[in-house]
PDB file of all heavy atoms in Angstrom:
ATOM      1  N   ASP A  16       6.403 -17.092  55.614  1.00 82.00           N
ATOM      2  CA  ASP A  16       6.674 -15.995  56.459  1.00 82.00           C
ATOM      3  C   ASP A  16       5.399 -15.497  57.094  1.00 82.00           C
ATOM      4  O   ASP A  16       5.417 -14.358  57.689  1.00 82.00           O
ATOM      5  CB  ASP A  16       7.340 -14.796  55.759  1.00 82.00           C
ATOM      6  CG  ASP A  16       8.822 -15.030  55.802  1.00 82.00           C
ATOM      7  OD1 ASP A  16       9.289 -15.987  56.486  1.00 82.00           O
ATOM      8  OD2 ASP A  16       9.546 -14.207  55.162  1.00 82.00           O
ATOM      9  N   ASN A  34       3.838 -28.851  88.343  1.00 47.00           N
ATOM     10  CA  ASN A  34       4.373 -29.571  89.583  1.00 47.00           C
ATOM     11  C   ASN A  34       3.269 -30.469  90.084  1.00 47.00           C
ATOM     12  O   ASN A  34       2.167 -30.030  90.559  1.00 47.00           O
ATOM     13  CB  ASN A  34       4.710 -28.529  90.650  1.00 47.00           C
ATOM     14  CG  ASN A  34       5.260 -29.150  91.917  1.00 47.00           C
ATOM     15  OD1 ASN A  34       5.151 -30.302  92.158  1.00 47.00           O
ATOM     16  ND2 ASN A  34       6.123 -28.411  92.592  1.00 47.00           N
ATOM     17  N   GLN A  87      -1.486 -29.066  73.504  1.00 91.00           N
ATOM     18  CA  GLN A  87      -0.129 -29.584  73.631  1.00 91.00           C
ATOM     19  C   GLN A  87       0.021 -30.515  74.739  1.00 91.00           C
ATOM     20  O   GLN A  87      -0.485 -30.259  75.905  1.00 91.00           O
ATOM     21  CB  GLN A  87       0.876 -28.356  73.805  1.00 91.00           C
ATOM     22  CG  GLN A  87       0.946 -27.435  72.621  1.00 91.00           C
ATOM     23  CD  GLN A  87       1.943 -26.359  72.792  1.00 91.00           C
ATOM     24  OE1 GLN A  87       2.382 -25.820  71.733  1.00 91.00           O
ATOM     25  NE2 GLN A  87       2.369 -26.065  74.006  1.00 91.00           N
ATOM     26  N   VAL A  94       3.049 -40.284  79.859  1.00 77.00           N
ATOM     27  CA  VAL A  94       3.351 -41.452  80.880  1.00 77.00           C
ATOM     28  C   VAL A  94       2.081 -41.788  81.716  1.00 77.00           C
ATOM     29  O   VAL A  94       2.099 -42.783  82.450  1.00 77.00           O
ATOM     30  CB  VAL A  94       4.507 -41.065  81.866  1.00 77.00           C
ATOM     31  CG1 VAL A  94       5.806 -40.890  81.145  1.00 77.00           C
ATOM     32  CG2 VAL A  94       4.188 -39.948  82.700  1.00 77.00           C
ATOM     33  N   ARG A 111      -7.185 -30.914  67.917  1.00 95.00           N
ATOM     34  CA  ARG A 111      -5.790 -31.244  67.390  1.00 95.00           C
ATOM     35  C   ARG A 111      -4.803 -31.222  68.438  1.00 95.00           C
ATOM     36  O   ARG A 111      -4.962 -30.449  69.455  1.00 95.00           O
ATOM     37  CB  ARG A 111      -5.488 -30.222  66.287  1.00 95.00           C
ATOM     38  CG  ARG A 111      -6.227 -30.369  64.958  1.00 95.00           C
ATOM     39  CD  ARG A 111      -6.045 -29.188  64.051  1.00 95.00           C
ATOM     40  NE  ARG A 111      -6.824 -28.058  64.673  1.00 95.00           N
ATOM     41  CZ  ARG A 111      -6.940 -26.934  63.939  1.00 95.00           C
ATOM     42  NH1 ARG A 111      -6.383 -26.734  62.734  1.00 95.00           N
ATOM     43  NH2 ARG A 111      -7.625 -25.911  64.498  1.00 95.00           N
ATOM     44  N   ILE A 164       7.289 -28.251  64.248  1.00 95.00           N
ATOM     45  CA  ILE A 164       7.480 -27.030  64.726  1.00 95.00           C
ATOM     46  C   ILE A 164       8.822 -26.953  65.490  1.00 95.00           C
ATOM     47  O   ILE A 164       8.957 -27.564  66.599  1.00 95.00           O
ATOM     48  CB  ILE A 164       6.307 -26.519  65.679  1.00 95.00           C
ATOM     49  CG1 ILE A 164       4.981 -26.645  64.909  1.00 95.00           C
ATOM     50  CG2 ILE A 164       6.558 -25.116  66.209  1.00 95.00           C
ATOM     51  CD1 ILE A 164       3.808 -26.323  65.905  1.00 95.00           C
ATOM     52  N   VAL A 168      13.872 -20.953  68.583  1.00 90.00           N
ATOM     53  CA  VAL A 168      14.559 -20.163  67.501  1.00 90.00           C
ATOM     54  C   VAL A 168      14.725 -18.785  67.935  1.00 90.00           C
ATOM     55  O   VAL A 168      13.953 -17.860  67.694  1.00 90.00           O
ATOM     56  CB  VAL A 168      13.672 -20.325  66.223  1.00 90.00           C
ATOM     57  CG1 VAL A 168      14.355 -19.545  65.020  1.00 90.00           C
ATOM     58  CG2 VAL A 168      13.370 -21.768  65.805  1.00 90.00           C
ATOM     59  N   GLN A 205      -4.367  -0.230  55.328  1.00 63.00           N
ATOM     60  CA  GLN A 205      -5.328   0.259  54.465  1.00 63.00           C
ATOM     61  C   GLN A 205      -6.743   0.430  55.084  1.00 63.00           C
ATOM     62  O   GLN A 205      -7.477   1.397  54.847  1.00 63.00           O
ATOM     63  CB  GLN A 205      -5.463  -0.613  53.183  1.00 63.00           C
ATOM     64  CG  GLN A 205      -4.302  -0.485  52.187  1.00 63.00           C
ATOM     65  CD  GLN A 205      -4.234   0.913  51.671  1.00 63.00           C
ATOM     66  OE1 GLN A 205      -5.251   1.469  51.175  1.00 63.00           O
ATOM     67  NE2 GLN A 205      -2.992   1.421  51.518  1.00 63.00           N
ATOM     68  N   ASN A 207      -7.374   1.419  57.992  1.00 70.00           N
ATOM     69  CA  ASN A 207      -7.376   2.666  58.808  1.00 70.00           C
ATOM     70  C   ASN A 207      -7.678   3.834  57.836  1.00 70.00           C
ATOM     71  O   ASN A 207      -8.339   4.759  58.256  1.00 70.00           O
ATOM     72  CB  ASN A 207      -6.123   2.830  59.547  1.00 70.00           C
ATOM     73  CG  ASN A 207      -5.990   1.986  60.814  1.00 70.00           C
ATOM     74  OD1 ASN A 207      -6.953   1.744  61.394  1.00 70.00           O
ATOM     75  ND2 ASN A 207      -4.746   1.537  61.097  1.00 70.00           N
ATOM     76  N   LEU A 211     -10.648   6.544  57.793  1.00 81.00           N
ATOM     77  CA  LEU A 211     -10.279   7.969  57.914  1.00 81.00           C
ATOM     78  C   LEU A 211     -10.973   8.747  56.755  1.00 81.00           C
ATOM     79  O   LEU A 211     -11.640   9.775  57.037  1.00 81.00           O
ATOM     80  CB  LEU A 211      -8.853   8.234  57.777  1.00 81.00           C
ATOM     81  CG  LEU A 211      -7.914   8.189  59.057  1.00 81.00           C
ATOM     82  CD1 LEU A 211      -6.489   8.408  58.739  1.00 81.00           C
ATOM     83  CD2 LEU A 211      -8.418   9.268  60.039  1.00 81.00           C
ATOM     84  N   ASN A 267      -9.678  20.810  56.593  1.00 78.00           N
ATOM     85  CA  ASN A 267      -9.446  20.992  55.234  1.00 78.00           C
ATOM     86  C   ASN A 267      -8.052  20.402  54.808  1.00 78.00           C
ATOM     87  O   ASN A 267      -7.993  19.643  53.863  1.00 78.00           O
ATOM     88  CB  ASN A 267      -9.538  22.504  54.721  1.00 78.00           C
ATOM     89  CG  ASN A 267     -10.993  22.949  54.828  1.00 78.00           C
ATOM     90  OD1 ASN A 267     -11.915  22.160  54.640  1.00 78.00           O
ATOM     91  ND2 ASN A 267     -11.127  24.239  55.009  1.00 78.00           N
ATOM     92  N   SER A 277      -4.167   8.002  50.312  1.00 56.00           N
ATOM     93  CA  SER A 277      -5.072   7.011  49.741  1.00 56.00           C
ATOM     94  C   SER A 277      -4.669   6.630  48.259  1.00 56.00           C
ATOM     95  O   SER A 277      -4.982   5.575  47.799  1.00 56.00           O
ATOM     96  CB  SER A 277      -6.572   7.423  49.720  1.00 56.00           C
ATOM     97  OG  SER A 277      -6.760   8.488  48.787  1.00 56.00           O
ATOM     98  N   LYS A 306      -0.457   3.496  84.215  1.00 93.00           N
ATOM     99  CA  LYS A 306      -1.574   4.057  85.103  1.00 93.00           C
ATOM    100  C   LYS A 306      -1.506   3.329  86.422  1.00 93.00           C
ATOM    101  O   LYS A 306      -2.179   3.792  87.285  1.00 93.00           O
ATOM    102  CB  LYS A 306      -2.875   3.739  84.291  1.00 93.00           C
ATOM    103  CG  LYS A 306      -3.099   4.721  83.145  1.00 93.00           C
ATOM    104  CD  LYS A 306      -4.331   4.387  82.478  1.00 93.00           C
ATOM    105  CE  LYS A 306      -4.591   5.318  81.251  1.00 93.00           C
ATOM    106  NZ  LYS A 306      -5.761   5.010  80.458  1.00 93.00           N
ATOM    107  N   ASP A 317       2.397   9.613  77.191  1.00 90.00           N
ATOM    108  CA  ASP A 317       3.808   9.444  76.755  1.00 90.00           C
ATOM    109  C   ASP A 317       4.122   7.975  76.661  1.00 90.00           C
ATOM    110  O   ASP A 317       4.922   7.613  75.734  1.00 90.00           O
ATOM    111  CB  ASP A 317       4.743  10.106  77.716  1.00 90.00           C
ATOM    112  CG  ASP A 317       4.550  11.647  77.768  1.00 90.00           C
ATOM    113  OD1 ASP A 317       4.201  12.172  76.694  1.00 90.00           O
ATOM    114  OD2 ASP A 317       4.828  12.322  78.789  1.00 90.00           O
ATOM    115  N   GLN A 340      14.233  12.834  65.963  1.00 81.00           N
ATOM    116  CA  GLN A 340      14.502  14.247  65.860  1.00 81.00           C
ATOM    117  C   GLN A 340      13.383  14.957  65.088  1.00 81.00           C
ATOM    118  O   GLN A 340      13.254  16.176  65.208  1.00 81.00           O
ATOM    119  CB  GLN A 340      15.851  14.449  65.120  1.00 81.00           C
ATOM    120  CG  GLN A 340      17.093  14.005  65.891  1.00 81.00           C
ATOM    121  CD  GLN A 340      18.364  14.163  65.060  1.00 81.00           C
ATOM    122  OE1 GLN A 340      18.307  14.491  63.857  1.00 81.00           O
ATOM    123  NE2 GLN A 340      19.532  14.070  65.783  1.00 81.00           N
ATOM    124  N   ILE A 342      10.155  14.663  65.479  1.00 77.00           N
ATOM    125  CA  ILE A 342       8.947  14.903  66.211  1.00 77.00           C
ATOM    126  C   ILE A 342       9.337  15.203  67.669  1.00 77.00           C
ATOM    127  O   ILE A 342      10.225  14.724  68.199  1.00 77.00           O
ATOM    128  CB  ILE A 342       8.040  13.619  66.213  1.00 77.00           C
ATOM    129  CG1 ILE A 342       8.762  12.370  66.532  1.00 77.00           C
ATOM    130  CG2 ILE A 342       7.350  13.528  64.827  1.00 77.00           C
ATOM    131  CD1 ILE A 342       7.817  11.139  66.703  1.00 77.00           C
ATOM    132  N   PRO A 343       8.435  16.150  68.405  1.00 79.00           N
ATOM    133  CA  PRO A 343       8.762  16.455  69.673  1.00 79.00           C
ATOM    134  C   PRO A 343       8.028  15.574  70.714  1.00 79.00           C
ATOM    135  O   PRO A 343       6.852  15.543  70.858  1.00 79.00           O
ATOM    136  CB  PRO A 343       8.116  17.898  69.813  1.00 79.00           C
ATOM    137  CG  PRO A 343       6.982  17.862  68.836  1.00 79.00           C
ATOM    138  CD  PRO A 343       7.385  16.850  67.649  1.00 79.00           C
ATOM    139  N   GLY A 357      17.095   4.758  81.914  1.00 95.00           N
ATOM    140  CA  GLY A 357      16.097   5.478  82.819  1.00 95.00           C
ATOM    141  C   GLY A 357      14.901   4.573  83.149  1.00 95.00           C
ATOM    142  O   GLY A 357      14.782   3.392  82.651  1.00 95.00           O
ATOM    143  N   SER A 375      12.432 -14.467  84.383  1.00 89.00           N
ATOM    144  CA  SER A 375      13.222 -13.955  85.401  1.00 89.00           C
ATOM    145  C   SER A 375      13.486 -12.469  85.236  1.00 89.00           C
ATOM    146  O   SER A 375      13.336 -11.646  86.224  1.00 89.00           O
ATOM    147  CB  SER A 375      14.608 -14.616  85.440  1.00 89.00           C
ATOM    148  OG  SER A 375      15.332 -14.441  84.250  1.00 89.00           O
ATOM    149  N   LEU A 384       9.865  -1.674  89.479  1.00 94.00           N
ATOM    150  CA  LEU A 384       8.921  -0.554  89.056  1.00 94.00           C
ATOM    151  C   LEU A 384       7.727  -0.488  89.972  1.00 94.00           C
ATOM    152  O   LEU A 384       7.004   0.500  90.076  1.00 94.00           O
ATOM    153  CB  LEU A 384       8.441  -0.696  87.625  1.00 94.00           C
ATOM    154  CG  LEU A 384       9.501  -0.683  86.520  1.00 94.00           C
ATOM    155  CD1 LEU A 384       8.919  -0.831  85.177  1.00 94.00           C
ATOM    156  CD2 LEU A 384      10.144   0.809  86.622  1.00 94.00           C
ATOM    157  N   GLN A 393      -3.304  -9.988  83.437  1.00 84.00           N
ATOM    158  CA  GLN A 393      -4.588  -9.531  83.117  1.00 84.00           C
ATOM    159  C   GLN A 393      -4.628  -8.256  82.245  1.00 84.00           C
ATOM    160  O   GLN A 393      -5.436  -8.332  81.238  1.00 84.00           O
ATOM    161  CB  GLN A 393      -5.362  -9.090  84.466  1.00 84.00           C
ATOM    162  CG  GLN A 393      -6.918  -8.859  84.210  1.00 84.00           C
ATOM    163  CD  GLN A 393      -7.558 -10.116  83.630  1.00 84.00           C
ATOM    164  OE1 GLN A 393      -7.442 -11.216  84.162  1.00 84.00           O
ATOM    165  NE2 GLN A 393      -8.275  -9.964  82.461  1.00 84.00           N
TER     166      GLN A 393
END
Side-chain angles (χ1 to χ4, degrees):
D16 272 350
N34 184 337
Q87 294 186 159
V94 299
R111 286 166 292 184
I164 303 175
V168 182
Q205 285 296 318
N207 283 329
L211 273 178
N267 289 334
S277 68
K306 289 178 180 177
D317 291 330
Q340 288 177 353
I342 51 175
S375 59
L384 295 177
Q393 188 60 49

